Amino acid sequence: MSGLSASALLALLISAPHMASPASADATPVAALASAALGAIDVTTVLIAVAVLAAVAVLRKLPYGIGVVIACTIGSVVTGELAREFAGSSVAPTGLPHGQLVATTALLGAASMVASSAWRPVVLGLGTTATLAVAAAALITGSASIVGIASALLVVFMWWPACSIVMLYSPDAAAREARNPLDTAAMAVQRKMGRFR
């Protein structure tokens, strides 16, 4: 899934229309509300949310939970910014991954991985609503196009499945490390890869 998302993102950025960004939206109450909503999502907000999710992972005693939260959120945001940096000269700004949407969707993914099974439907429901609201706000303000929204989602779907796999196998890896501190998850993967050679 991660590889397919990366390939789709690359194809989307290469084939995105090369046009100037549209003029700013008229100052309507809806556009003002959308701008305010997007303005509330900044680096500080994302880092606070990451800290809260890391605390949840610690309280739930999830092995590798903190690493997965950081990898999913920070990895997605950095990947989105790298895509903006490298494709910025050839793709219209509205066709690049929208930063606030990448952050919101990555936080949804991280929260779904550390939430308990009782709270997971609530997290997924509220997170999906927030993601759709941010996408709508980006369209209303003209800061992103459909291509920009799709590329933002593809960035997150490169990280979310990979981190989900880590969370799926983390209890087994943690048990191995508890028995033998030198038997890390990386060594287990290396042993498994050695079998297939």
Side-chain angles (χ1 to χ4, degrees):
M1 182 69 172
S2 296
L4 287 174
S5 295
S7 302
L9 174 65
L10 184 61
L12 189 62
L13 289 176
I14 289 172
S15 64
H18 307 287
M19 59 180 139
S21 68
S24 61
D26 294 335
T28 64
V30 174
L33 180 63
S35 291
L38 290 176
I41 304 168
D42 59 3
V43 173
T44 306
T45 309
V46 173
L47 290 178
I48 289 171
V50 168
V52 168
L53 292 175
V56 169
V58 168
L59 291 174
R60 293 200 59 228
K61 297 183 170 108
L62 294 173
Y64 303 156
I66 295 173
V68 163
V69 166
I70 292 171
C72 188
T73 53
I74 306 302
S76 296
V77 169
V78 169
T79 302
E81 289 305 313
L82 287 174
R84 292 183 70 81
E85 181 68 28
F86 289 119
S89 60
S90 60
V91 179
T94 57
L96 296 169
H98 190 263
Q100 284 99 339
L101 183 59
V102 169
T104 305
T105 312
L107 287 171
L108 164 62
S112 71
M113 288 183 278
V114 297
S116 67
S117 56
W119 283 94
R120 192 165 291 125
V122 175
V123 167
L124 289 172
L126 291 175
T128 302
T129 303
T131 300
L132 292 174
V134 170
L139 286 174
I140 289 169
T141 59
S143 59
S145 64
I146 296 295
V147 174
I149 289 171
S151 61
L153 295 176
L154 286 171
V155 165
V156 176
F157 287 122
M158 285 190 289
W159 286 92
W160 191 345
C163 293
S164 295
I165 290 169
V166 170
M167 284 302 288
L168 182 64
Y169 292 106
S170 64
D172 296 335
R176 279 195 307 272
E177 289 178 18
R179 287 193 301 271
N180 179 4
L182 299 177
D183 190 8
T184 62
M187 292 182 74
V189 169
Q190 191 175 26
R191 282 196 304 270
K192 188 173 249 182
M193 295 300 287
R195 289 184 201 152
F196 295 120
R197 287 183 188 165

